[in-house]
Amino acid sequence: MNKTLELIKADIINMNGGKNSMRTMFVILFVIWGVAGFAFSPIYGLIVPLLMGVFFVPMMFQNELKYHSEKLHSILPINRRDLVTARFLFVTVLFTAMFIAFYLLMLLSLKIKLNYIIFGDDAEMFDTMGLLVSLSQGMFTEVGLLNLMYFTVYMCGMIGVAGLLRKHFKDKESFSGTLTFGGKKEVRRQEMIAVFIVLGIMLIAVLAIADVLPIIPMLLPILAAALQLAQAANGVMLSAVAVAIAIFTVIYQYVCTVVEYDEKEL
């Protein structure tokens, strides 16, 4: 455990050393959307967990890639599993802690209604949570909607963070190309695959709407069960499912990374 903590301390020092332009950009966006979420509507704050999912891992290891300090670990008396464990633990705990702090801030915003204090009756134009509650015709409360939206975004962000961390260990050059938006062949290939997946999903959706594929009748029982789960205990039940999915995804990515990194030639 001491070795893990020492590796985490080394990553913190590495992250704070040098010029980390991505960290500055992340902090600026975090503040802008955080203030918008707190002052106007928590829905605006949803962009922060999404930004964390995209920029968290690149921000933390930008200096390592920039100054090639990853070679340091090859001369330290540690095994590869120790490094993978330390970084997955560090990233997961820090991401979760930042998310919880931000979620509690948005929950406080929902309770005190700062937008009504600042703008008075004109604040109704910003009250998107109240509008969504009215559109749901009493099926959801504001707290229930906040729980569902934020913990769903947490799940997506945590899945993105774990995937990026695995990619960081698997292929640092490809990961560096992702940071710089370079035109590496591997990056272009992945982009093409993503485009084809999106087009495939759109085609399936069109065929389902046209009733060519009987997908909608098959999905109705699942959607009905998910709706009941979403209404239970102000969305806590479905939020717990989202958190469980995030946890199991992180564990899966961690195990895969340990196996892949242990077999990789450095």
Side-chain angles (χ1 to χ4, degrees), residues 10 26 47 53-54 67 69 88 115 129 147 155 170 185 261:
F26 175 79
I47 193 68
V54 174
Y67 300 109
S69 56
F88 264 87
N115 52 346
M129 294 293 289
N147 289 335
M155 176 189 70
K170 186 176 182 180
K185 292 182 179 179
Y261 193 57

Side-chain angles (χ1 to χ4, degrees), residues 18 35 41 45 53 69 75 78 100 107 133 153 161 204 206-207 210:
V35 170
S41 172
S69 56
I75 61 175
I78 59 171
I100 291 174
L107 188 61
V133 169
V153 171
V161 164
I204 292 173
V206 170
L207 293 176

Side-chain angles (χ1 to χ4, degrees), residues 216-263:
I216 295 179
M218 294 169 59
L219 292 178
L220 285 178
I222 300 175
L223 293 175
L227 186 61
Q228 291 180 350
L229 198 61
Q231 291 176 270
N234 273 339
V236 172
M237 298 300 294
L238 195 58
S239 298
V241 172
V243 172
I245 293 172
I247 292 172
F248 284 116
T249 301
V250 171
I251 293 173
Y252 167 75
Q253 296 285 25
Y254 165 73
V255 173
C256 291
T257 304
V258 169
V259 174
E260 292 169 351
Y261 193 57
D262 194 50
E263 297 176 350

Side-chain angles (χ1 to χ4, degrees), residues 23-35 47-48 51 55:
R23 182 184 61 188
T24 303
M25 179 181 67
F26 175 79
V27 170
I28 292 173
L29 291 174
F30 188 97
V31 171
I32 290 174
W33 289 105
V35 170
I47 193 68
V48 172
L51 288 173
F55 290 110

Side-chain angles (χ1 to χ4, degrees), residues 8-57:
I8 290 175
K9 289 180 183 177
D11 279 335
I12 293 174
I13 293 171
N14 194 19
M15 180 177 67
N16 292 325
K19 293 182 179 180
N20 194 331
S21 58
M22 189 167 288
R23 182 184 61 188
T24 303
M25 179 181 67
F26 175 79
V27 170
I28 292 173
L29 291 174
F30 188 97
V31 171
I32 290 174
W33 289 105
V35 170
F38 189 78
F40 297 101
S41 172
I43 288 183
Y44 301 136
L46 281 171
I47 193 68
V48 172
L50 290 174
L51 288 173
M52 288 167 59
V54 174
F55 290 110
F56 209 69
V57 174

Side-chain angles (χ1 to χ4, degrees), residues 168-196:
H168 170 73
F169 280 104
K170 186 176 182 180
D171 186 1
K172 283 186 170 59
E173 290 185 1
S174 176
F175 187 80
S176 178
T178 303
L179 291 181
T180 58
F181 302 97
K184 295 182 182 296
K185 292 182 179 179
E186 181 66 19
V187 176
R188 289 200 300 267
R189 185 175 69 86
Q190 291 177 359
E191 290 174 350
M192 290 299 296
I193 292 173
V195 169
F196 281 117

Side-chain angles (χ1 to χ4, degrees), residues 155-170:
M155 176 189 70
C156 297
M158 200 70 253
I159 290 172
V161 164
L164 284 172
L165 194 53
R166 180 184 176 186
K167 184 177 181 181
H168 170 73
F169 280 104
K170 186 176 182 180

